[in-house]
Amino acid sequence: MKLTIIGTGYVGLVTGACFSEMGSTVTCVDIDQEKIENLKNGKLPIYEPGLENLVVQNYKEGTLNFSTSLEQTSKNSNIFFIAVGTPPGEDGSADLQYVLQVAKEIGQNINEYSVIVDKSTVPVGTADKVKSTIQSELEKRGANIEFDVVSNPEFLKEGAAINDFLKPDRIIIGADSERAATIMKRLYAPFSRNREKVLLMNVRDAEMTKYAANSMLATKISFMNEISNICEKLGVDVENVRRGIGSDSRIGYSFIYPGCGYGGSCFPKDVKALIKISRDQGFEPELLNAVERRNSLQKQVLSDKIMKRFGRNLSDKIFCMWGLSFKPGTDDIREASSIEILKELIDSGATIKAFDPVAMDQARKEFPEIWFDKEQIIFEENQYKAIENTDALILVTEWKTFRQPDFKLMADTMKELIIFDGRNQYDPEEVSEAGFEYHGIGREKL
């Protein structure tokens, strides 16, 4: 099958690479000429394990192509995936300007029956707006061309996106016509050979499913973070509580790890958007409000612990930060807890030596330039270089390389032996035996 995917960000590029891997002929379209040329040369705009190999190999084999011209690619395709950004507005609503601009261009260029697929995370009712926009452009052309708009939300975890796409738990297809549903099922047939994974529903149901899924996962995280704060007040080790409740099959272990808050491009944006959608319908989403509030507060927990230990004037302190990305396996720092922690510490006069296995290049683009100009933050070449002559280690992202550090080497090079463990990666007893003072999330030693 011949597909056009508009947008070469995280969702668009993974979608295009995986469909081409399964035999479809895919053209990814983007208005950014430099990005398209880089992709042709095997240079990706994002880090995602396994993605580079798929892109390079399938481009070489001719099943994956890149272009800046939707007009040109539309001549050879009748399935169009919209995978452009929907950034949050100031009120939390999803900004649909890029989605609707793409819909407008599709309406200006299709010449036969087409299926237009909303792959971007969009509010309930967006498919209606896309349909109206395309129809308006067709009427301007005097063209009588049939088309259907489908919702096909993505459920990709950054750091595991390739496996999630190639071996999905479920494939949600929201379609209001049998014709479009049949085409989509045929497109996804290679991904559900061992069992039927396609869940058919109407378009609005599919749009809502994406928001509900992400909000549910965010709720589990915020709930466990709430419990961790209560545990700390009571002198309870939250890790024992986590294991105790996770062993209940009705709860499970996924997404109940306490930490310093969730981030990324999905959970924060989607929770805010669903709150806005609810309010627009006259319903106040009390639970979602609490989820968002807890997450905001949780991002301050580590900096509060640090200032409680060292005081609010940190002008003579140097801290090491391990991890900058919002989670391991990605270079994405959007809404990362590291950003909020850094702001608090740097504003209080601290100097930060930081290391992240893959996110430092992205962080250098996103962090305030003044931090680097004044050497308030210094990126080091490895984790042990970053730890030298520091007053404490702050673990923010639980990369595998940080899981079993050389505590003896750290003790020999640090000024003060203190660890602030934002992801509860270390055993407090082991850390204490190595001579370190330990501060975790919901497991302070009383």
Side-chain angles (χ1 to χ4, degrees), residues 13 20 39 70 79 87 125 131 142 271 301 306 332 367 399 434 436:
L13 201 52
S20 66
L39 285 167
L70 179 57
I79 303 176
K131 186 174 183 178
V271 170
V301 166
I306 293 166
D332 193 343
F367 288 174
W399 287 93
F436 287 81

Side-chain angles (χ1 to χ4, degrees), residues 226-239:
E226 185 96 324
I227 292 297
S228 74
N229 285 276
I230 299 171
C231 285
E232 197 155 295
K233 297 293 184 181
L234 296 172
V236 173
D237 187 337
V238 72
E239 286 301 306

Side-chain angles (χ1 to χ4, degrees), residues 23-288:
S24 292
T25 300
V26 180
T27 301
C28 292
V29 178
D30 200 292
I31 60 173
D32 188 331
Q33 179 71 50
E34 182 180 1
K35 183 188 284 189
I36 291 298
E37 291 304 317
N38 283 337
L39 285 167
K40 290 179 178 178
N41 291 314
K43 298 178 182 178
L44 276 60
I46 58 172
Y47 172 80
E48 177 63 36
L51 180 58
E52 183 177 338
N53 289 338
L54 284 187
V55 169
V56 171
Q57 185 63 31
N58 285 290
Y59 178 69
K60 181 180 179 180
E61 293 177 358
T63 55
L64 180 61
N65 302 287
F66 302 100
S67 175
T68 57
S69 174
L70 179 57
E71 179 182 5
Q72 192 66 33
T73 58
S74 63
K75 296 176 182 178
N76 300 308
S77 173
N78 66 343
I79 303 176
F80 299 85
F81 281 80
I82 301 177
V84 294
T86 54
E90 291 185 7
D91 60 356
S93 61
D95 186 345
L96 297 178
Q97 63 172 311
Y98 304 115
V99 170
L100 297 181
Q101 178 59 38
V102 170
K104 182 177 180 180
E105 292 185 38
I106 290 173
Q108 292 169 348
N109 288 288
I110 57 173
N111 293 299
E112 60 178 323
Y113 171 78
S114 299
V115 176
I116 292 82
V117 185
D118 280 336
K119 198 67 174 172
S120 303
T121 301
V122 292
V124 175
T126 298
D128 295 334
K129 295 179 180 180
V130 169
K131 186 174 183 178
S132 177
T133 301
I134 295 173
Q135 187 60 47
S136 177
E137 293 302 315
L138 290 174
E139 289 173 359
K140 290 178 184 177
R141 293 167 53 193
N144 184 22
I145 299 171
E146 293 185 357
F147 67 94
D148 284 302
V149 179
V150 169
S151 175
N152 174 220
E154 52 85 14
F155 297 96
L156 307 176
K157 299 185 295 291
E158 292 192 41
I162 302 302
N163 187 68
D164 287 346
F165 200 104
L166 296 177
K167 300 177 181 179
D169 294 324
R170 76 291 204 197
I171 300 164
I172 303 292
I173 296 175
D176 293 335
S177 87
E178 187 64 35
R179 185 179 186 183
T182 299
I183 290 173
M184 292 298 292
K185 287 187 71 174
R186 188 163 72 245
L187 175 62
Y188 274 105
F191 302 91
S192 55
R193 289 178 62 84
N194 62 338
R195 66 176 175 85
E196 182 56 69
K197 298 179 181 179
V198 172
L199 299 178
L200 285 174
M201 57 188 71
N202 68 43
V203 171
R204 293 172 72 87
D205 294 348
E207 290 172 332
M208 183 62 182
T209 298
K210 171 65 175 181
Y211 279 109
N214 278 353
S215 295
M216 179 63 191
L217 297 176
T219 298
K220 291 186 72 174
I221 295 171
S222 281
F223 172 80
M224 203 64 210
N225 283 333
E226 185 96 324
I227 292 297
S228 74
N229 285 276
I230 299 171
C231 285
E232 197 155 295
K233 297 293 184 181
L234 296 172
V236 173
D237 187 337
V238 72
E239 286 301 306
N240 288 329
V241 175
R242 177 185 66 79
R243 287 191 291 268
I245 67 173
S247 60
D248 186 328
S249 61
R250 297 170 300 174
I251 298 172
Y253 291 102
S254 298
F255 291 88
I256 61 168
Y257 289 85
C260 47
Y262 60 74
S265 62
C266 295
F267 290 2
K269 176 173 68 72
D270 293 352
V271 170
K272 288 182 174 70
L274 190 51
I275 289 172
K276 178 63 166 57
I277 291 168
S278 301
R279 288 174 177 168
D280 286 347
Q281 300 302 313
F283 178 78
E284 190 61 34
E286 302 291 353
L287 178 58
L288 294 178

